[in-house]
Amino acid sequence: MSTEPGAGVHVLGVRHHGPGSARGVRSALEALQPDVVLIEGPPDADELLPLAAQAGMKPPVALLVYALDAPAHAVFYPFAVFSPEWQAIQYALGRSLPVRFIDLPQAHQLVPEAMAQEKAEPPREDALGGLARAAGHEEGEGWWEQLIEQRQDARGVFEAVLEAMTAVREAGGDIPAREALREAHMRRCIRQAKKEGFQRIAVVCGAWHGPALVQAKPAREDDALLKGLPKTKVAATWIPWTYDRLGWRSGYGAGVDSPGWYAHLWLTPERPVSTWAARIAQLLRGEGLDASSASVIETVRLAEALAALRGRSAVGLGELRDAALSVLCEGDATPLVLVHDRLEVGTGLGEVPSDVPAVPLARDLAALQKSLRLPPTSESKLQELDLRKELDRGRSRLLHRLRLLDIPWGEPEDDTRNAKGTFRENWRVKWEPELAVRVVEASLFGNTVESAATSRVKARAAEAKELDTLTALLEASLLAELSASIDTVLHHVQELSTRSADVPKLMEAFPPLVRTVRYGSVRETPTEPILAIIHGLLERIFIGLPGACVALDEDAARERHGQLSTLHAAMVLLEDKERLEEWSQALDGLVQRDAVHGLLRGAALRLRVEMGHVEDAVLGPLARKALSPAVPPAEAAAWLEGLVTGSALLLLHRDELWAALDGWLSGLTRETFVEQLPLVRRAFSRFGAAERRAMADRIRRPATAPGAARSTRGGDDLDPERVAQVLPVLSLILGVRLDENLG
């Protein structure tokens, strides 16, 4: 073992997450029989170390250390069952030995000055990468895995690692200031242990720090370096962790790319290759893919042959991956993505005992998860909720409240069954470890999920400056069933809406209010106050709508077009016949006003047609006016786009409109047609293939309406030569292929 000046101090340099390093540490500790175990980690969490031995603690887990006055400033120290530090902790606790963390406390590292300094420092070069390249490997993890993690005999390993890291540090020059502080504090802790009379001191640290803890350095130099460091109050707790997050460079500053593979090496040291191939086959069979026992045997043989060909002493993950690709996946790399995600990385979520210190909000959330039978999991799962069932309604309520607290455990998804109604919700839920920090942050608003969400909504409502922000907040509060906050938000909505003269903002604020009323029956929330606000908004929208649709450029017109469509959908959802009639009249005001942008006049006419408020006798003259030669082609094309956006039935069954469109296209000069072709094609591009085929069939039929006879050659009077000239143009616009012979 390596010793620091003074007998009895043994430094074990490790990779922070590695089964070989963990195995070596256990073996070394068994041989050393130390009096105390010192581990690179946060001294702020020393009081939590005894909890690691409890039965309810199941790795992967992590220590979360955060600043009390700024919980977003946090750091994680993750542990897997194969982490050397975890095995050192288990060894010490199992023998009732003192065990301590010796890294620089996070109370000094989570202050703004230290965090800014760390960001400004250049990243430290990967020592493993340099050693790997010198040994002929492409990257450090594969080299370390072959040399250390697959080794069964740990004798001499720590001395060799120390010698290699010493050479790397000597060639690398000065170390970053933060690293110097960390190593000074580690040396101080080692000296303190010696002063306390411990004779055999075991130090488990990252291999890169080993040389700095072995070299002699006067205590006064370390004390001078550590004197006067800024400090903040911090708190710490244990939280569940996931294998895919073991790749994070947080806390220890190191991660691994294949934690599932490392766990496999730790748990199955006797036959890691054959059992790994069998697990791949089992996974593939579970996905409905062929994976026979013979293929497993052939995969193992090929992996062993590849290792021998590459000069490797043992089969590694690279050889197994290549062999599985050739044999089990039959050369198709697609299943390897599944193997990587499920096996190489892994999907396990750890567990912590219920008596682990936590903020009250975290305890309330855990109790709700248990009572609603909605446990957190690292796998992405779809929750299909029926709000008529009390359990599903409770789950929906919880997920909506967490979203208001910026804890996105679940994300809403569209119903793939296209089910109508307001009693169904789909959520995609996946628990991410970093959400624990969000829970701590949200605890500033309350000790329970309900009280915290209510306080958060009230605070956001008081800060809101835009009406659409408030209406969206009201909708979210209703979905979360926060009755205590709905009245507050409604008050702010009423106050702001009476002062707002911005019609576009009023239009954006209207749909969430309508959806709120629609959900009222399901959520059992009174909707009368909301309806009063809705009617007040509509009056101001109807009055100000014409003025909001004039003097617009192209981008502004398209934005207003989207607002019109959304507002119309909300009006239909409201199911108020009187208000729908008023809405139709407001749209007619846009249709008849030439100063309104063509896109909006066409869209307004389209909406009135869909409502059944425009007869053919009216539609034809409006179309001929909008598409007359006196109208600039760009304006006419914009009107056409607004009109045809939606279903093609409007064109297929309205002969007057069809005739006006035909007359307009026929009257364009060649230069103007080429100029406007992109706009016309964009108008027709939204139609589906079936609709475009139906329009092509419509072209083959002569128009029969009286208006059509006046604007085109009707029936038997068609000139075949002129028709032949027009058909290719229509084919280009519609995006369909027409037969040259019309028969």
Side-chain angles (χ1 to χ4, degrees):
M1 303 306 159
S2 303
T3 60
E4 197 254 351
V9 179
H10 304 269
V11 177
L12 310 178
V14 301
R15 182 159 173 74
H16 287 301
H17 306 294
S21 295
R23 196 174 293 111
V25 165
R26 288 298 297 238
S27 177
L29 293 176
E30 293 287 354
L32 284 172
Q33 295 293 307
D35 302 322
V36 63
V37 178
L38 307 181
I39 300 172
E40 178 191 339
D44 322 77
D46 275 350
E47 294 182 357
L48 299 177
L49 280 171
L51 296 175
Q54 291 192 10
M57 188 73 74
K58 179 183 176 182
V61 293
L63 282 169
L64 166 62
V65 186
Y66 58 92
L68 282 173
D69 58 348
H73 297 165
V75 66
F76 302 95
Y77 287 81
F79 300 89
V81 68
F82 52 81
S83 299
E85 295 85 357
W86 181 259
Q87 290 301 320
I89 292 171
Q90 296 302 315
Y91 172 87
L93 295 177
R95 290 160 178 76
S96 300
L97 296 177
V99 55
R100 305 171 184 171
F101 287 129
I102 61 172
D103 202 350
L104 182 67
Q106 287 297 330
H108 298 305
Q109 299 192 59
L110 291 177
V111 295
E113 301 93 322
M115 297 174 67
Q117 180 184 7
E118 181 182 359
K119 290 181 179 179
E121 291 179 348
R124 192 182 75 204
E125 183 179 354
D126 181 15
L128 292 184
L131 291 173
R133 288 188 293 272
H137 289 252
E138 295 181 357
E139 45 83 28
E141 183 160 342
W143 171 79
W144 183 271
E145 177 193 336
Q146 179 187 349
L147 191 66
I148 304 296
E149 305 309 338
Q150 294 184 6
R151 181 185 293 270
Q152 299 297 321
D153 186 358
R155 288 177 297 179
V157 168
F158 295 112
E159 287 82 354
V161 168
L162 177 64
E163 183 179 353
M165 291 300 170
T166 301
V168 169
R169 290 182 64 124
E170 289 175 351
D174 296 336
I175 66 172
R178 176 174 173 272
E179 299 300 316
L181 289 173
R182 295 178 61 200
E183 291 173 352
H185 192 272
M186 292 186 205
R187 288 191 293 266
R188 173 187 281 183
C189 291
I190 293 173
R191 294 189 192 97
Q192 179 62 33
K194 293 174 66 176
K195 288 180 181 179
E196 293 178 19
F198 293 111
Q199 300 298 314
R200 295 185 301 278
I201 303 172
V203 181
V204 180
C205 65
W208 193 80
H209 297 296
L213 305 187
V214 169
Q215 295 171 355
K217 198 163 189 177
R220 61 178 180 275
E221 292 186 14
D222 289 338
D223 293 340
L225 196 61
L226 296 169
K227 185 177 180 181
L229 290 179
K231 190 175 183 180
T232 187
K233 292 183 178 181
V234 299
T237 186
W238 287 103
I239 63 171
W241 202 249
T242 59
Y243 276 137
D244 60 331
R245 286 299 188 271
L246 286 174
W248 274 20
R249 266 63 179 173
S250 175
Y252 285 129
V256 291
D257 297 330
S258 306
W261 165 247
Y262 275 5
H264 177 77
L265 290 178
W266 174 261
L267 297 172
T268 56
E270 299 298 329
R271 299 185 303 277
V273 177
S274 59
T275 51
W276 183 260
R279 290 181 64 189
I280 295 177
Q282 183 180 16
L283 175 63
L284 296 180
R285 285 195 293 267
E287 296 296 324
L289 301 175
D290 292 334
S292 65
S293 300
S295 297
V296 172
I297 296 172
E298 188 60 30
T299 298
V300 173
R301 289 176 176 173
L302 180 55
E304 292 173 344
L306 287 172
L309 185 64
R310 295 169 180 175
R312 307 288 171 82
S313 59
V315 175
L317 182 59
E319 288 74 37
L320 277 166
R321 188 184 293 133
D322 292 342
L325 173 62
S326 298
V327 181
L328 287 168
C329 300
E330 298 180 349
D332 183 4
T334 304
L336 280 185
V337 177
L338 186 65
V339 173
H340 176 269
D341 294 342
R342 298 277 188 88
L343 297 183
E344 293 181 15
V345 175
T347 58
L349 178 68
E351 298 177 6
V352 299
S354 58
D355 58 347
V356 165
V359 294
L361 178 62
R363 295 191 179 280
D364 182 62
L365 174 57
L368 289 171
Q369 290 169 334
K370 184 177 181 180
S371 64
L372 295 173
R373 299 200 290 276
L374 195 62
T377 172
S378 63
E379 295 185 48
S380 178
K381 293 186 176 181
L382 181 65
Q383 292 287 336
E384 298 180 345
L385 305 182
D386 184 341
L387 302 185
R388 296 169 297 183
K389 300 177 180 179
E390 187 58 35
L391 180 63
D392 283 358
R393 181 173 165 182
R395 291 171 174 175
S396 170
R397 184 166 53 237
L398 173 61
L399 293 172
H400 280 293
R401 289 175 177 178
L402 291 178
R403 280 173 59 82
L404 284 169
L405 290 170
D406 296 324
I407 305 174
W409 177 23
E411 292 291 340
E413 285 195 355
D414 293 333
D415 193 340
T416 56
R417 299 169 298 180
N418 294 321
K420 296 182 179 180
T422 59
F423 58 86
R424 292 191 181 277
E425 285 184 354
N426 285 350
W427 291 82
R428 178 68 59 179
V429 296
K430 181 181 180 181
W431 184 263
E432 305 283 4
E434 60 268 26
L435 293 180
V437 178
R438 300 286 188 95
V439 174
V440 174
E441 290 181 286
S443 67
L444 298 175
F445 294 98
N447 293 333
T448 66
V449 173
E450 181 177 6
S451 64
T454 299
S455 299
R456 184 74 179 100
V457 167
K458 290 181 178 179
R460 290 173 63 184
E463 298 167 356
K465 304 298 182 183
E466 301 291 345
L467 188 58
D468 57 334
T469 302
L470 281 172
T471 54
L473 192 60
L474 177 62
E475 181 182 16
S477 299
L478 180 68
L479 296 175
E481 299 185 36
L482 296 175
S483 56
S485 65
I486 290 176
D487 290 341
T488 300
V489 180
L490 275 174
H491 170 74
H492 287 285
V493 171
Q494 180 69 42
E495 186 179 60
L496 193 56
S497 64
T498 55
R499 293 187 280 111
S500 177
D502 190 338
V503 174
K505 290 295 184 182
L506 296 176
M507 294 171 68
E508 292 177 355
F510 180 75
L513 289 175
V514 175
R515 291 193 296 268
T516 298
V517 172
R518 182 62 179 268
Y519 268 98
S521 60
V522 179
R523 305 285 178 172
E524 300 177 1
T525 302
T527 58
E528 289 77 8
I530 305 175
L531 282 171
I533 295 175
I534 284 177
H535 295 318
L537 282 180
L538 282 178
E539 292 178 1
R540 286 189 287 278
I541 290 173
F542 293 160
I543 294 173
L545 186 60
C549 295
V550 299
L552 300 177
D553 60 16
E554 183 70 15
D555 293 337
R558 293 195 174 280
E559 181 181 359
R560 196 74 74 249
H561 182 207
Q563 293 169 342
L564 274 180
S565 300
T566 304
L567 183 62
H568 177 75
M571 289 297 304
V572 174
L573 188 64
L574 187 59
E575 297 181 341
D576 187 322
K577 293 182 179 180
E578 182 179 348
R579 290 300 183 181
L580 274 174
E581 185 63 34
E582 294 176 0
W583 171 237
S584 179
Q585 295 174 7
L587 290 173
D588 189 48
L590 300 183
V591 172
Q592 303 296 339
R593 189 169 181 176
D594 293 339
V596 173
H597 193 280
L599 178 69
L600 301 179
R601 284 190 288 111
L605 180 58
R606 170 76 190 218
L607 295 177
R608 294 196 76 236
V609 170
E610 291 180 354
M611 297 169 70
H613 293 175
V614 181
E615 301 293 337
D616 281 347
V618 177
L619 181 60
L622 287 174
R624 287 193 294 275
K625 176 185 176 182
L627 299 174
S628 69
V631 177
E635 183 74 7
W639 180 89
L640 178 62
E641 181 180 355
L643 180 69
V644 303
T645 298
S647 171
L649 293 177
L650 179 65
L651 283 175
L652 291 172
H653 301 298
R654 298 291 181 121
D655 288 335
E656 290 277 2
L657 178 59
W658 188 267
L661 172 60
D662 184 30
W664 176 67
L665 286 173
S666 301
L668 294 177
T669 65
R670 179 181 179 83
E671 294 76 11
T672 303
F673 175 77
V674 172
E675 180 183 350
Q676 300 304 318
L677 180 59
L679 299 177
V680 178
R681 291 202 66 177
R682 180 171 63 188
F684 284 84
S685 65
R686 297 182 177 90
F687 295 140
E691 292 177 315
R692 284 183 285 181
R693 283 194 298 269
M695 295 176 74
D697 293 337
R698 177 68 179 81
I699 293 172
R700 295 185 177 94
R701 300 196 309 270
T704 57
R710 291 191 295 270
S711 58
T712 64
R713 295 179 181 269
D716 298 334
D717 295 331
L718 286 174
D719 185 339
E721 293 183 0
R722 295 186 64 187
V723 170
Q725 294 176 357
V726 172
L727 284 179
V729 177
L730 289 175
S731 174
L732 181 63
I733 294 173
L734 298 176
V736 297
R737 184 174 180 179
L738 301 176
D739 296 334
E740 295 182 0
N741 184 10
L742 295 179

